[in-house]
Amino acid sequence: MTYHLNDKVVLITGAAGGIGAATARELYALGASLVLTDMQQTAVDKLAKEFSPSRVLPVALDVTDAAATNAVIQKTIQRFGHLDVVFANAGISWRSGASTIASCDEAEFEKIVEVDFLGVWRTIRAALPEIIRNQGQVLVTSSAYAFLNGLANAPYAASKAGVEMLTRCLRAEFAYTGATASVVYPGWTATAIAKVAFGGNATVTKMNEVVFPEWLRRAIPPEQVARAIAKGVQYRRPRIYAPWRWIPFSLFRGIFGVLTDVMLSRHKEMHALIQQLEAESPR
């Protein structure tokens, strides 16, 4: 049965970013009203200007703040009367380049986990009563890093693998309620987070090139991810991939993970690049 978005209310975290903004536009076109949240009020205000004021509520939100997240849910109910879909999409990665576990800044490592994993948990937790009451949906942005080795990006990759399992648990626990939860798996997407691997950092870009064949490391526009999400929401799909070329790697992740870990342990050029990255670390 198709889940129609007309008159539904959708809350998006990280709404001002590439995937968040593109998804907002797709879901709005399908009839949804939007609660747009991101760190900066000016950023969500700018995005909100694209939509009818009667169908949008822009609010600044730091997803690491549980009290503030709960307050946004209450504002949503006060404004629209209900919340039907929450899209836990906010995420960050290294601020300047990439680092290994040995060379990274400890505080930055923990901040990434705080936003990318605990921020998702706090968003979901705050929205659960409304999602269950309305037999709605939870969407969570994971990543192809849920099944790829995330070397040089460990806190991001570990968080994305963690939120994948969190969402799978939630979907199973939702089974008797009529609500659903879906994992979103974007591959390389042309956003600020992925820029480091596409010319933003020469060493990381080279690491990307020596491991992935050209057809796998082609970045897709965030609009392609947004279209997949919109389709996934309408059919309550448990897993939403964009692009589809990552599906076999997810389905066969067991053997794929073993083989790639062996390959990386023997890859001399990659070993040299890891040492070079650590030498470039500001620490």
Side-chain angles (χ1 to χ4, degrees):
M1 181 180 295
T2 303
Y3 183 82
H4 296 288
L5 283 156
N6 196 38
D7 296 328
K8 298 294 193 302
V9 178
V10 181
L11 187 153
I12 303 174
T13 66
I19 292 174
T23 302
R25 296 181 185 110
E26 284 287 331
L27 301 185
Y28 181 85
L30 292 169
S33 294
L34 304 173
V35 181
L36 306 174
T37 74
D38 212 307
M39 288 291 289
Q40 303 299 324
Q41 184 68 49
T42 53
V44 285
D45 284 345
K46 180 180 178 182
L47 178 62
K49 290 178 180 176
E50 299 182 22
F51 312 118
S52 166
S54 65
R55 289 174 51 195
V56 64
L57 174 63
V59 187
L61 174 63
D62 177 353
V63 294
T64 66
D65 186 336
T69 306
N70 279 305
V72 169
I73 299 298
Q74 294 310 310
K75 283 184 182 178
T76 300
I77 297 170
Q78 290 168 8
R79 170 66 184 277
F80 295 110
H82 56 102
L83 172 64
D84 303 285
V85 178
V86 62
F87 181 23
N89 170 66
I92 61 173
S93 187
W94 303 116
R95 287 192 302 268
S96 54
S99 295
T100 65
I101 295 170
S103 64
C104 73
D105 178 84
E106 292 176 16
E108 187 175 10
F109 186 106
E110 294 182 8
K111 179 65 177 178
I112 293 169
V113 174
E114 181 83 7
V115 173
D116 293 1
F117 183 77
L118 293 178
V120 168
W121 148 249
R122 289 165 186 151
T123 301
I124 292 173
R125 178 71 174 181
L128 275 185
E130 273 296 290
I131 299 301
I132 293 172
R133 184 173 75 85
N134 298 313
Q135 296 188 326
Q137 301 191 44
V138 172
L139 304 173
V140 174
T141 298
S142 178
S143 166
Y145 270 131
F147 43 87
L148 294 177
N149 191 306
L151 79 163
N153 205 2
Y156 180 85
S159 297
K160 294 303 182 182
V163 298
E164 179 201 39
M165 181 55 72
L166 182 69
T167 311
R168 289 177 56 199
C169 293
L170 185 62
R171 188 175 181 94
E173 293 173 1
F174 266 168
Y176 75 94
T177 69
T180 54
S182 306
V183 186
V184 180
Y185 299 93
W188 294 112
T189 307
T191 63
I193 283 181
K195 188 176 179 180
V196 65
F198 292 88
N201 179 293
T203 304
V204 176
T205 300
K206 183 65 176 175
M207 294 169 77
N208 193 24
E209 291 172 353
V210 301
V211 171
F212 295 105
E214 192 276 337
W215 63 273
L216 261 185
R217 55 183 158 81
R218 284 199 301 267
I220 61 173
E223 289 76 15
Q224 185 174 341
V225 181
R227 288 193 293 273
I229 291 171
K231 183 74 73 176
V233 170
Q234 291 177 85
Y235 293 98
R236 292 184 182 266
R237 289 176 178 161
R239 289 166 289 277
I240 301 169
Y241 296 94
W244 285 26
R245 57 178 174 261
W246 288 106
I247 292 177
F249 297 94
S250 177
L251 295 180
F252 299 102
R253 64 177 69 187
I255 185 66
F256 173 70
V258 170
L259 294 175
T260 53
D261 287 354
V262 170
M263 181 271 287
L264 290 169
S265 72
R266 298 174 179 175
H267 201 299
K268 300 301 183 188
E269 186 175 6
M270 178 59 77
H271 299 173
L273 288 167
I274 291 171
Q275 292 177 72
Q276 182 176 329
L277 187 67
E278 292 185 333
E280 294 167 355
S281 170
R283 291 194 72 197

